[in-house]
Amino acid sequence: PSLSSSSSSSSSTAPSGGGRTNMIRTTSQSPTNPVVVSPSIARGGPVIVYVYGGGFCSNLLTMDIPFISQIGEALPNVPIIISEYSVAPEKPFPCALDEICITYEWVRAGGLGFIPSRVIVAGESAGANLIAALCVRYVGAHYPDLKIDTGGASHSHRLIAGGAKSQPPVKATLPDEIILGYPALNLGPSPSPSRALHMCDPVLPVAAGNLAKAYHKEDPDLLLNPQVSPIFTSDAVLSRFPPTSIMTGGMDILLDDAVDFHVRLRRNGVPGNFKIFRTLPHGFWSMGAFLPEANEAQLLAVEWVVAAVEARDSSRLNDSGSQQRKCEEKLI
């Protein structure tokens, strides 16, 4: 489908927080007819694919509109593609991941009417999980001899393939860069200090883990599948990830998983940024209107996206970069 054909069947709106942003919505039933948020399109240039969160069981795109609008205002000529995806329990794994991959393939193959020079994929929470899972799937497809060490039974390539009987073909290259906001990297019940300390997180309490059960169906093999829980991705696969930046909150139950994933990426030579906003809970990219630190986080995330689109080093944007590197050295 062409961009014009998907536009003609939808009405344009001006979402709050971004009067300059044009928004066209379609449904997960046609993942190659995505939502497009952009005032104009620079043909042949970079493209942003954004994947929103929702605990795998709901569509929380509306909460992300102010943040997406900030990206649109900072990059007025860059199209932002948002593919709505199916949710559990009606559509458990791998439905959402398959739909995100279909949209990604469509963008890479010229679905917008041109072949993008770069594709940046950003998203938060469950959406960040799907982005990391997409990278796992694409690395596995391009390097089929890689094996995944799950720490348990020998699942090898079956885990890379997602355990699905059939999945969308993987032809495109990996994203040029990914940006993950407070990612849900481990959907299992693994204990960690952050899960114990912040079990009453107002946005994502420990009990919210029950939502993820509808996605992975409490299948123990799926819980070890790195396309469900990217935290279990092997070092061999991680070393082939694109540049990966991670932002998380110090009050988030998922904090420890984000730190662990970041450290392993850096150990394996994958560049990227890492930032912890100490006083913020889960979901803060949608809290900028009423939390000053969340607004600061949104602005920094936008700067990361802009730097990724422009293919330049964004490490200098992190005001605590030197402290971060010292922390990383201690962790490593």
Side-chain angles (χ1 to χ4, degrees), residues 88-95 162-164 187 210-223 228:
E90 291 81 8
K91 298 288 186 178
F93 175 85
C95 292
L187 303 191
N210 292 327
L211 296 175
K213 291 180 181 179
Y215 180 64
H216 57 66
K217 300 169 288 191
E218 299 188 76
D219 182 326
D221 281 344
L222 282 183
L223 280 175
V228 173

Side-chain angles (χ1 to χ4, degrees), residues 273-275 300 304 314-322 324:
N273 296 296
F274 183 69
K275 177 71 174 178
L300 179 59
W304 284 2
S314 58
S315 59
R316 63 180 180 77
L317 299 174
N318 188 343
D319 57 10
S320 60
S322 60
Q324 173 185 316

Side-chain angles (χ1 to χ4, degrees), residues 12-228:
S12 298
T13 63
S16 60
R20 296 173 54 207
T21 303
N22 182 42
M23 187 169 191
I24 308 166
R25 300 192 62 173
T26 59
T27 69
S28 59
Q29 300 306 312
S30 300
T32 53
N33 281 333
V35 178
V36 179
V37 184
S38 182
S40 60
I41 292 178
R43 293 181 177 272
V47 172
I48 299 167
V49 176
Y50 188 87
V51 188
Y52 55 84
F56 304 99
C57 294
S58 61
N59 180 332
L60 297 184
L61 170 58
T62 302
M63 295 179 64
D64 284 353
I65 292 304
F67 174 61
I68 298 169
S69 297
Q70 286 182 295
I71 298 174
E73 290 172 358
L75 297 164
N77 297 316
V78 177
I80 303 173
I81 311 303
I82 306 171
S83 177
E84 295 189 82
Y85 55 87
S86 299
V87 296
E90 291 81 8
K91 298 288 186 178
F93 175 85
C95 292
L97 178 57
D98 286 350
E99 290 169 5
I100 297 299
C101 289
I102 289 171
T103 296
Y104 178 74
E105 285 281 341
W106 179 78
V107 169
R108 279 288 196 188
L112 289 169
F114 62 89
I115 303 297
S117 59
R118 288 173 63 78
V119 177
I120 310 304
V121 187
E124 48 95 32
S125 192
N129 169 289
L130 294 171
I131 295 169
L134 178 147
C135 291
V136 172
R137 176 176 290 187
Y138 275 67
V139 170
H142 291 301
Y143 301 91
D145 293 334
L146 289 179
K147 304 296 182 181
I148 292 183
D149 179 11
T150 64
S154 177
H155 302 297
S156 65
H157 181 72
R158 184 171 68 85
L159 284 181
I160 282 188
K165 294 181 180 179
S166 62
Q167 66 182 39
V170 172
K171 299 178 182 179
T173 58
L174 272 80
D176 292 280
E177 190 161 339
I178 62 175
I179 298 169
L180 311 179
Y182 34 91
L185 297 168
N186 184 357
L187 303 191
S190 303
S192 72
S194 65
R195 294 190 185 206
L197 289 170
H198 310 307
M199 61 189 306
C200 295
D201 182 307
V203 178
L204 189 71
V206 168
N210 292 327
L211 296 175
K213 291 180 181 179
Y215 180 64
H216 57 66
K217 300 169 288 191
E218 299 188 76
D219 182 326
D221 281 344
L222 282 183
L223 280 175
L224 293 177
N225 184 332
Q227 289 188 41
V228 173

